[in-house]
Amino acid sequence: MKTAHDVIVIGLGGMGSATACHLAARGHRVLGLERFGPAHNRGSSHGGSRVTRQSYFEDPAYVPLLLRSYELFEKLERDTGRDIVTLCGGLMLGRPDSRTVAGSRRSAEQWGLPHEMLDAGEVRRRFPTFTPADDEVALYEGRAGFVRPEATVTAHVQLALQAGADLRFEEPVTRWEVLPGGRGVRVHTADDVYTAGHLVVCPGAWAPRLLADLGVRFTVERQVMYWFQPEGGTAAFDPRRHPVYVWEDTGGVQVYGFPAIDGPQDGAKVAFFRKGTVCDPETIDRTVHDDEVAAMAAQLRPRIPALPGRLRKAVTCMYTTTADEHFVLARHPEHPEAVTVACGFSGHGFKFVPVVGEIAADLALHGTTEHPIALFDPLRNELRQSATEPEETTT
């Protein structure tokens, strides 16, 4: 058994690497354990880009956390010299009463966020790659853009190591336990056993296995990200001309996408939001099939006609989703003295990575945080009710 640390962090993806960074920066002895290598592509924190936005249709309660996250992303860039965030503007498109448009407008108006409401004609004039229907509108937010997930994880790992954290990769955790009387934790890996005063569990898609006693049902979903070569080239999709976007159709299906951020060799990235299939992280099908590509192209063709040209590449990732699509971020209700959990980020969490790291460090060290996180309580009714419902089976 290894010498005790102050805090052990399980998982060094987006949330775990940020947590280890914040803990180490505060002078604590941190051990980080990750089943894969640094900034790997086997979970959720990869794919070259993630949308960031402040006019948040999921719930206005997220906005204060987003404002802090923007500050911390800027600090991360200054501290590491890495290119992490690009604010190229963003469009939230759909019918005026759609969740994407109405919810974004509600958050923007409640928090006084700068934004513009555009009718279909104005969207077509200002952003000619988009062809919305006459009855569609858009909220434009100049402070929206994209975050680089691999660069973010690498930057947090870099700073954590510089601050003295002991980060161990390719060392999967098999189980953990709270010591008698709640006086610390013991963590078992494939290689060794470690102890610490506190544990932070940031397991991503492995939440159902490592947090089985939490009483929360997590659904792990396979998602696909696509990069298309636009017809006529990528000039019209340059980040100086083409914003990030989330577009909701009349059936409630959302597509999100990006400008051509890495030049003509990769094209422009797009994906469905919440249209995945249930999977297991160990056996996920990582092959992208022709019918999936065809479905994505069909969704794009009437909206961004130049985009569904030649497919350049497609890769899978995973969402770990809760019943109400909100996060779980709190002290573990069964082990509040020894364990903090950060999980269930439901496909919209990466833009919060640095502030989640700050919050998880607060909770691990003090049991509380000044940030508003009541929405993420694992004991909330929406999660407890879903945990008692019969579990769906898949074949």
Tab-separated table of all heavy atoms in Angstrom, residues 52 58 232 283 344:
chain	number	residue	atom	x	y	z
A	52	THR	N	-18.851	26.376	-26.893
A	52	THR	CA	-19.034	27.104	-25.644
A	52	THR	C	-19.979	28.268	-25.914
A	52	THR	O	-19.941	28.887	-26.989
A	52	THR	CB	-17.702	27.593	-25.051
A	52	THR	OG1	-17.936	28.110	-23.740
A	52	THR	CG2	-17.030	28.652	-25.911
A	58	GLU	N	-30.315	25.175	-21.620
A	58	GLU	CA	-30.586	24.088	-20.670
A	58	GLU	C	-31.203	24.599	-19.369
A	58	GLU	O	-32.095	23.966	-18.821
A	58	GLU	CB	-29.301	23.321	-20.363
A	58	GLU	CG	-28.846	22.396	-21.473
A	58	GLU	CD	-28.033	23.084	-22.555
A	58	GLU	OE1	-27.955	24.341	-22.544
A	58	GLU	OE2	-27.469	22.395	-23.413
A	232	GLY	N	-17.097	23.422	-52.695
A	232	GLY	CA	-16.528	24.737	-52.972
A	232	GLY	C	-15.407	25.115	-52.039
A	232	GLY	O	-14.880	26.233	-52.133
A	283	THR	N	-17.280	-1.888	-24.622
A	283	THR	CA	-17.626	-2.614	-25.848
A	283	THR	C	-18.255	-1.717	-26.904
A	283	THR	O	-18.824	-2.217	-27.876
A	283	THR	CB	-18.596	-3.771	-25.526
A	283	THR	OG1	-19.803	-3.229	-24.941
A	283	THR	CG2	-17.966	-4.754	-24.558
A	344	GLY	N	-21.897	12.570	-14.829
A	344	GLY	CA	-23.193	12.761	-15.470
A	344	GLY	C	-23.318	14.092	-16.183
A	344	GLY	O	-24.353	14.769	-16.094
